[in-house]
Amino acid sequence: MDFRIEKDTMGEIKVPNNQYWGAQTQRSLENFPIGEEKMPKEIIEGFAYLKKACAIVNNKLNRLDKIKTDAICVTCDEIIQGKLSTEFPLVVWQTGSGTQSNMNVNEVVASRATQNLGKDFRTEKLIHPNDDVNKGQSSNDTYPTAMRIAFVLELQKRLIPSINVLKTTLENKSKEFETIVKIGRTHLQDATPLTLGQELSAYVDMLDKALNQIDDSMKYIVELAIGGTAVGTGLNSHPDFSPAVCDVLNILTQTKYEFKSHPNKFHALTSHDGEVFLSGALNALASNLMKIANDIRWLSSGPRCGIGEITIPENEPGSSIMPGKVNPTQSEAMTMVAVQVMGNHTTISVAASQGNFELNVFKPVIALNIIQSIRLLSDTMLAFNDNCAVGIEPNLTNINKYLNDSLMLVTALNPYIGYEKATLIAKTAHKNGTTLKQEAVNLGILTEVEFDSYVKPEDMIKPSL
């Protein structure tokens, strides 16, 4: 491989001649051969938006000339468009402030912008990574800002639409099945009736609440650390820099959530309670998706020896040894995603607790886990929707059989004969393997006509006078 010599404050180092990055990126690449988890591309995109906004504001504040500003902006656009994706090779497991990734972006922008100005970045740089691209900034305020930009963009672009897709499907199914009366279950035991539509309506409300919880967390995530520089004092940053950068970011990103300058930069640099709040919303969503997926696979279990009250699409063979077997694979995938997100939340919670003095140095691992949670939740909901939820259908034969066989229909008799007599009927029917009606009559408690007038499953799905 062809190399060139780059210099930084630590001295000289060989850098691949065909790459835009410089000495600090190369040092990180060599010093941290840890794992395979690269800095998420979403974070790099967040950096590109931030560096562009900073350049624009520095120009407005007469701190950066127009030629440099335009060159930086063009390069940032290239990064946002994914044209320079091979220039960001660093792993997550680096310095906890994300300094090397900040410098990776600074170096790539400086080199590529120099090239866009017609010069060979290998021999001279018209734009300096620190003095120009990083002007008025520190890794300590840019990394937390870039990751929050990434969170907002990914939530709006991926997660929220995915929630709405699955919510709409389940809402339509709930309405479609609103008159299908079935037996309910509590403690994995028979309970009183409800409709299949009512059962699915719980899932709709869960997803609706998830949207509300994400919205609530955004009031913290939109507060940006930019302008705090090294320890929160704003040293080397213009007093108007932070709010102005937020204003430009709002124009560039066009999100429904409005970025604003964090009112306390000391808090912004050393604490990530906002990220814990967001992760908590993702964790709650994961918990509810776990419940939904488990319910669907229980309700569709069988096909002959399970509950089998609903059918789901048969997508692929389920066994390499049992011919004809089909499994609830979308439920299984979604439950695995759920446990991963729950684990991520624990990681984020512990990492956020490690803000020592003026800086939290667990930022990259926080960013990695939140981005992964957003990505996994978004993908699994769309897959579950398209390959499972849209194809849910009721198995009326099984639904009616279980409904009519259930001993818990006896609950409707409580207002007429009391709890103890109703219990006697249920226990006797269970012991003898007979029906509730048979034992109510045999025990001399009710006539057939009385029983039929009192026990109507379709009347047991709502409150009564």
Side-chain angles (χ1 to χ4, degrees):
M1 182 180 291
D2 188 22
F3 292 94
R4 68 180 186 275
I5 299 299
E6 287 275 349
K7 295 180 180 179
D8 61 9
T9 58
M10 301 295 291
E12 296 183 345
I13 190 170
K14 288 182 179 181
V15 176
N17 215 21
N18 62 339
Q19 305 291 162
Y20 291 118
W21 71 66
Q24 293 202 44
T25 302
Q26 188 65 32
R27 291 190 194 284
S28 181
L29 200 55
E30 295 177 8
N31 289 339
F32 298 97
I34 306 171
E36 298 180 352
E37 294 81 7
K38 304 296 184 184
M39 190 60 61
K41 59 182 175 54
E42 296 86 354
I43 302 299
I44 302 301
E45 181 183 353
F47 263 116
Y49 276 112
L50 176 59
K51 297 298 178 179
K52 181 176 181 178
C54 289
I56 292 170
V57 172
N58 278 323
N59 175 253
K60 290 180 179 179
L61 296 173
N62 298 316
R63 290 189 161 198
L64 191 68
D65 67 50
K66 190 174 188 310
I67 292 176
K68 291 182 176 181
T69 299
D70 290 346
I72 290 172
C73 288
V74 168
T75 304
C76 289
D77 286 340
E78 291 179 328
I79 295 173
I80 292 168
Q81 294 160 11
K83 294 180 179 179
L84 302 175
S85 58
T86 59
E87 295 294 330
F88 306 100
L90 301 187
V91 296
V92 167
W93 319 109
Q94 53 170 275
T95 180
S97 62
T99 297
Q100 281 107 39
S101 282
N102 179 44
M103 285 307 304
N104 184 191
V105 175
N106 290 336
E107 290 175 342
V108 170
V109 171
S111 295
R112 177 59 177 162
T114 293
Q115 188 178 62
N116 284 335
L117 291 174
K119 294 294 183 180
D120 187 348
F121 67 89
R122 300 170 185 84
T123 57
E124 64 175 312
K125 286 188 172 59
L126 299 181
I127 294 176
H128 194 279
N130 297 81
D131 298 337
D132 297 322
V133 185
N134 201 60
K135 183 178 286 292
Q137 306 152 57
S138 163
S139 298
N140 296 353
D141 66 349
T142 59
Y143 192 93
T145 299
M147 72 184 196
R148 286 193 169 185
I149 294 170
F151 300 158
V152 171
L153 291 174
E154 287 301 290
L155 286 167
Q156 182 164 297
K157 182 168 58 179
R158 300 185 66 170
L159 185 65
I160 292 173
S162 296
I163 294 173
N164 279 319
V165 166
L166 183 55
K167 176 188 168 188
T168 299
T169 295
L170 293 173
E171 198 166 27
N172 291 337
K173 291 291 180 180
S174 178
K175 291 175 182 177
E176 182 183 351
F177 304 150
E178 64 184 357
T179 61
I180 299 175
V181 182
K182 66 181 290 291
I183 200 64
R185 294 177 180 85
T186 60
H187 303 270
L188 296 181
Q189 305 293 308
D190 301 349
T192 54
L194 77 168
T195 70
L196 183 56
Q198 288 173 326
E199 195 163 41
L200 296 185
S201 74
Y203 310 156
V204 177
D205 197 52
M206 290 173 192
L207 295 174
D208 193 50
K209 293 297 189 294
L211 292 170
N212 293 336
Q213 290 163 358
I214 290 168
D215 264 343
D216 286 344
S217 71
M218 284 299 97
K219 62 186 176 183
Y220 303 109
I221 297 300
V222 297
E223 293 182 339
L224 303 183
I226 193 67
T229 63
V231 297
T233 61
L235 177 66
N236 291 347
S237 177
H238 190 283
D240 299 329
F241 183 69
S242 182
V245 168
C246 293
D247 289 341
V248 173
L249 281 170
N250 288 326
I251 295 171
L252 296 178
T253 59
Q254 292 290 298
T255 70
K256 65 175 277 192
Y257 303 106
E258 187 173 315
F259 294 114
K260 57 185 178 181
S261 177
H262 199 296
N264 188 307
K265 300 299 189 294
F266 307 101
H267 177 191
L269 269 59
T270 196
S271 176
H272 289 298
D273 47 354
E275 280 73 12
V276 176
F277 195 178
L278 169 59
S279 180
L282 302 178
N283 192 56
L285 173 58
S287 297
N288 282 334
L289 291 179
M290 175 75 83
K291 184 266 191 298
I292 293 170
N294 278 335
D295 277 8
I296 295 303
R297 63 177 165 182
W298 274 107
L299 289 172
S300 63
S301 61
R304 293 189 175 180
C305 302
I307 294 175
E309 289 184 337
I310 62 172
T311 61
I312 58 175
E314 298 181 350
N315 296 324
E316 60 272 314
S319 173
S320 61
I321 189 174
M322 292 176 279
K325 195 173 194 298
V326 179
N327 294 329
T329 52
Q330 288 297 322
S331 284
E332 290 167 7
M334 195 151 80
T335 54
M336 285 194 289
V337 165
V339 298
Q340 181 65 53
V341 172
M342 293 173 191
N344 288 353
H345 182 55
T346 298
T347 298
I348 292 161
S349 300
V350 175
S353 72
Q354 300 303 303
N356 297 321
F357 303 113
E358 279 64 61
L359 186 67
N360 175 290
V361 291
F362 284 70
K363 300 182 193 299
V365 74
I366 292 173
L368 171 71
N369 281 272
I370 289 182
I371 290 294
Q372 186 191 54
S373 291
I374 292 172
R375 185 186 302 138
L376 289 176
L377 289 168
S378 302
D379 290 349
T380 197
M381 281 188 288
L382 288 181
F384 185 85
N385 179 79
D386 297 346
N387 299 314
C388 182
V390 295
I392 293 173
E393 296 295 339
N395 182 334
L396 296 178
T397 300
N398 282 354
I399 285 175
N400 291 329
K401 178 182 184 302
Y402 294 143
L403 177 65
N404 293 323
D405 286 351
S406 175
L407 298 176
M408 289 305 101
L409 296 181
V410 77
T411 307
L413 296 177
N414 285 357
Y416 305 101
I417 62 174
Y419 183 88
E420 292 191 7
K421 287 183 178 179
T423 299
L424 177 62
I425 292 173
K427 286 190 173 184
T428 304
H430 181 52
K431 178 181 177 181
N432 295 336
T434 53
T435 67
L436 293 172
K437 182 192 291 189
Q438 285 177 294
E439 294 307 335
V441 173
N442 290 342
L443 292 167
I445 298 174
L446 293 169
T447 66
E448 286 191 30
V449 173
E450 288 174 326
F451 184 93
D452 289 340
S453 67
Y454 297 151
V455 181
K456 296 179 179 179
E458 64 274 16
D459 292 338
M460 299 175 67
I461 62 173
K462 57 186 182 297
S464 58
L465 296 175

